[in-house]
Amino acid sequence: MRTRTERRERLVPHTIDGETKLVPEPYDVEVPLPPRDWDHIVLTGALAVVAVFLAIVIVWSTSSIGDLLVRTNVSEVIAYAAATGFSLGWIVCMALEWLARYDPARVRRPRAAGHVFLASDMAAVCVHGWLADSLTVGVIGAVLSGGAKGLYTLVLDHQAARLDSRTQQWVTIKRGEIGSRLALGAVRRQLTRVESRAAAEEAALRTASDPNPDRPDPDEDGPDADIVPLPSNTLTTKDAVRIAWDSGLRDKETVARYVGKATGTAPSPETVDRYLRALRVGA
């Protein structure tokens, strides 16, 4: 059995002048080596070969299609940048296939889109070979792209594990539940932002400047000189709901009655309910 030496540490007592302390002491341990995982090694090698093959295909396709697009008198930079899209399209679809390898329903769309992008890439390479009076070279370049796609598909089919019907349904339901939680979180954040903007606009309208600031003051000797005007109520429905919430009120009808007394106007039940939901989410 093969072993390897590992350096570890342990605490040992050490006494000086009658005072003992625990100090770290290094020591070596022989641990057994696990056997080589040849399946993993072979799979890693196959993926490395596919990656190199894809890199070669991207360079070849970009060179051929870029030269084809340059014939239209566009800038070489633009032509070769556009040429990369032919190869990158089906390569991105292959990445999506890998992510959805355990879900046959989700893998169909990226696989079909990948075939469309691959066909466009191969056709462009063949057209370039035909225009360059070397159709054979164009066909060989197109076969390289198809071979890279086929090789990747073989590796993917080997790696993807087929799930039985019940397990697949369980995975689908679980993915839907988690996706719903993520979606609801995003919707709540969006509603909170919209609610904040609406509250800010309402506050801005309530605190708008006087449209006629230069009007003369009323005559102090007039018939209403002894009447002291009451200050306008600046307590909003949202503020009143917040105060009721902080006071421990949770029932919608009780909060609505409090808001009506605090603001002097009967609030809308939907508005009170909306503010209460926002406070529950924030809590």
Side-chain angles (χ1 to χ4, degrees):
M1 182 177 62
R2 300 172 57 194
T3 61
R4 69 170 182 268
T5 303
E6 286 188 357
R7 175 59 62 92
R8 299 180 181 179
E9 286 188 351
R10 58 189 173 191
L11 296 177
V12 296
H14 185 65
T15 303
I16 297 179
D17 295 335
E19 185 176 359
T20 302
K21 299 292 184 181
L22 294 177
V23 297
E25 179 186 57
Y27 68 99
D28 295 331
V29 175
E30 296 293 328
V31 296
L33 281 175
R36 291 185 181 274
D37 188 354
W38 288 106
D39 290 343
H40 180 71
I41 293 173
V42 171
L43 179 60
T44 302
L47 291 175
V49 171
V50 171
V52 173
F53 200 177
L54 288 175
I56 296 173
V57 167
I58 291 175
V59 173
W60 179 269
S61 297
T62 302
S63 177
S64 299
I65 301 174
D67 184 66
L68 175 65
L69 297 178
V70 166
R71 296 170 183 264
T72 61
N73 296 325
V74 299
S75 172
E76 290 188 0
V77 176
I78 298 176
Y80 283 95
T84 59
F86 284 83
S87 297
L88 294 180
W90 57 272
I91 290 176
V92 170
C93 291
M94 291 194 322
L96 296 178
E97 285 185 60
W98 179 272
L99 295 176
R101 62 188 182 277
Y102 299 120
D103 192 340
R106 297 180 66 196
V107 82
R108 292 193 187 99
R109 286 187 177 181
R111 179 167 292 175
H115 290 155
V116 173
F117 280 110
L118 177 62
S120 301
D121 181 274
M122 296 173 66
V125 173
C126 288
V127 170
H128 173 261
W130 175 62
L131 293 178
D133 296 329
S134 182
L135 182 59
T136 303
V137 175
V139 172
I140 292 175
V143 170
L144 284 176
S145 297
K149 171 68 173 176
L151 186 61
Y152 173 84
T153 302
L154 292 175
V155 175
L156 178 63
D157 289 342
H158 174 79
Q159 181 68 12
R162 298 291 180 181
L163 303 178
D164 60 87
S165 177
R166 291 189 176 184
T167 303
Q168 187 65 62
Q169 294 178 30
W170 185 93
V171 171
T172 302
I173 294 173
K174 192 66 177 178
R175 181 181 288 113
E177 292 176 353
I178 298 175
S180 299
R181 290 169 54 192
L182 292 174
L184 288 176
V187 170
R188 290 192 183 100
R189 289 193 297 270
Q190 182 181 9
L191 292 177
T192 301
R193 290 193 298 269
V194 174
E195 183 66 31
S196 299
R197 289 198 299 268
E201 291 180 1
E202 292 174 358
L205 293 175
R206 286 194 302 270
T207 58
S209 59
D210 192 346
N212 188 17
D214 297 331
R215 65 171 180 262
D217 296 332
D219 189 3
E220 295 183 356
D221 297 331
D224 297 332
D226 295 333
I227 299 177
V228 179
L230 294 176
S232 60
N233 189 359
T234 59
L235 186 65
T236 64
T237 301
K238 185 176 182 180
D239 295 334
V241 172
R242 166 66 71 176
I243 294 173
W245 178 273
D246 294 338
S247 301
L249 300 179
R250 297 294 185 269
D251 181 71
K252 180 172 65 176
E253 296 181 356
T254 305
V255 173
R257 288 196 299 270
Y258 172 82
V259 173
K261 293 179 181 179
T263 60
T265 57
S268 171
E270 291 78 10
T271 302
V272 173
D273 189 33
R274 185 172 69 253
Y275 288 144
L276 287 175
R277 288 199 304 270
L279 290 172
R280 291 191 185 97
V281 172

